[in-house]
Amino acid sequence: MNIVDTRIPDVKILEPRVFGDERGFFMETFRESWFRENVADVTFVQDNHSKSRRGILRGLHYQEPQPQGKLVRVVSGEVFDVAVDIRRDSPSFGQWVGCYLSTDNRRQMWVPEGFAHGFLVMSDSAEFVYKCTNYYHPESEQSIRWDDPTLGIEWPVERAGDVLLSEKDRTAPIFT
């Protein structure tokens, strides 16, 4: 696995080694000992899988007071994935990192606890899978408006009207 640093030191891009031939390919997507030694000393307790169509934007979501760290990847299609540092005592508070995750590049992004997370589907559809460091806790679910001007996230969209949002995401508060 290759680690790509981002402008926020705690957020990492992981690129697996892929072995392929005329039959297909093989790659290791997670090894606990390697992850603990090279990325973060965490335990994953839940895996999630979602499917969305082009233009769907999910986020920006976070959990408080029961936060989740997430190791995210795409198994079909392509998304633009974003992590926003919402840790008030962090030197990168209010900053964001974005990258494309796709079937083709096979990249993963580590989004630690204390970050809001969201993604925009760029392909006709995308299947998104992620490991979580804490169980889903509906009472801890929080959101930040995806197009908050103070964050200045550069989503790859031409017009805000091109983005399809849930009611919860459409009415999310701004970042404070």
Side-chain angles (χ1 to χ4, degrees), residues 143-158:
S143 297
I144 299 169
R145 189 166 166 87
W146 71 280
D147 61 350
D148 184 302
T150 60
L151 296 175
I153 298 171
E154 297 172 11
W155 295 99
V157 295
E158 302 226 355

Side-chain angles (χ1 to χ4, degrees), residues 84-153:
V84 178
D85 190 347
I86 59 173
R87 303 170 299 175
R88 293 203 178 272
D89 60 347
S90 169
S92 55
F93 175 71
Q95 295 179 28
W96 63 276
V97 170
C99 76
Y100 288 93
L101 305 177
S102 71
T103 309
D104 293 336
N105 70 24
R106 297 183 178 98
R107 287 178 145 194
Q108 300 178 68
M109 182 158 46
W110 165 239
V111 181
E113 291 181 4
F115 282 76
H117 173 260
F119 65 89
L120 171 66
V121 178
M122 305 303 297
S123 51
D124 288 339
S125 69
E127 291 193 46
F128 192 84
V129 297
Y130 53 106
K131 297 182 152 321
C132 300
T133 60
N134 208 341
Y135 296 106
Y136 174 68
H137 185 251
E139 295 80 13
S140 292
E141 200 171 87
Q142 307 285 329
S143 297
I144 299 169
R145 189 166 166 87
W146 71 280
D147 61 350
D148 184 302
T150 60
L151 296 175
I153 298 171

Side-chain angles (χ1 to χ4, degrees), residues 23-77:
R23 299 169 298 154
F25 73 90
F26 170 85
M27 66 180 181
E28 185 175 280
T29 61
F30 179 75
R31 179 184 294 247
E32 182 182 31
S33 59
W34 182 90
F35 193 87
R36 284 180 182 271
E37 184 177 320
N38 295 284
V39 181
D41 188 10
V42 298
T43 300
F44 293 106
V45 298
Q46 180 175 319
D47 282 6
N48 297 324
H49 186 144
S50 71
K51 183 176 182 179
S52 304
R53 69 179 197 271
R54 181 185 303 277
I56 297 287
L57 192 146
R58 295 185 183 266
L60 300 162
H61 302 152
Y62 65 100
Q63 295 74 39
E64 187 61 45
Q66 286 187 229
Q68 291 179 318
K70 298 173 182 171
L71 179 60
V72 302
R73 69 188 181 102
V74 170
V75 296
S76 174

Side-chain angles (χ1 to χ4, degrees), residues 3 5 10-11 45 80 141 144 165 169:
I3 299 174
D5 291 324
D10 293 334
V11 177
V45 298
F80 182 71
E141 200 171 87
I144 299 169
L165 301 162
D169 292 342

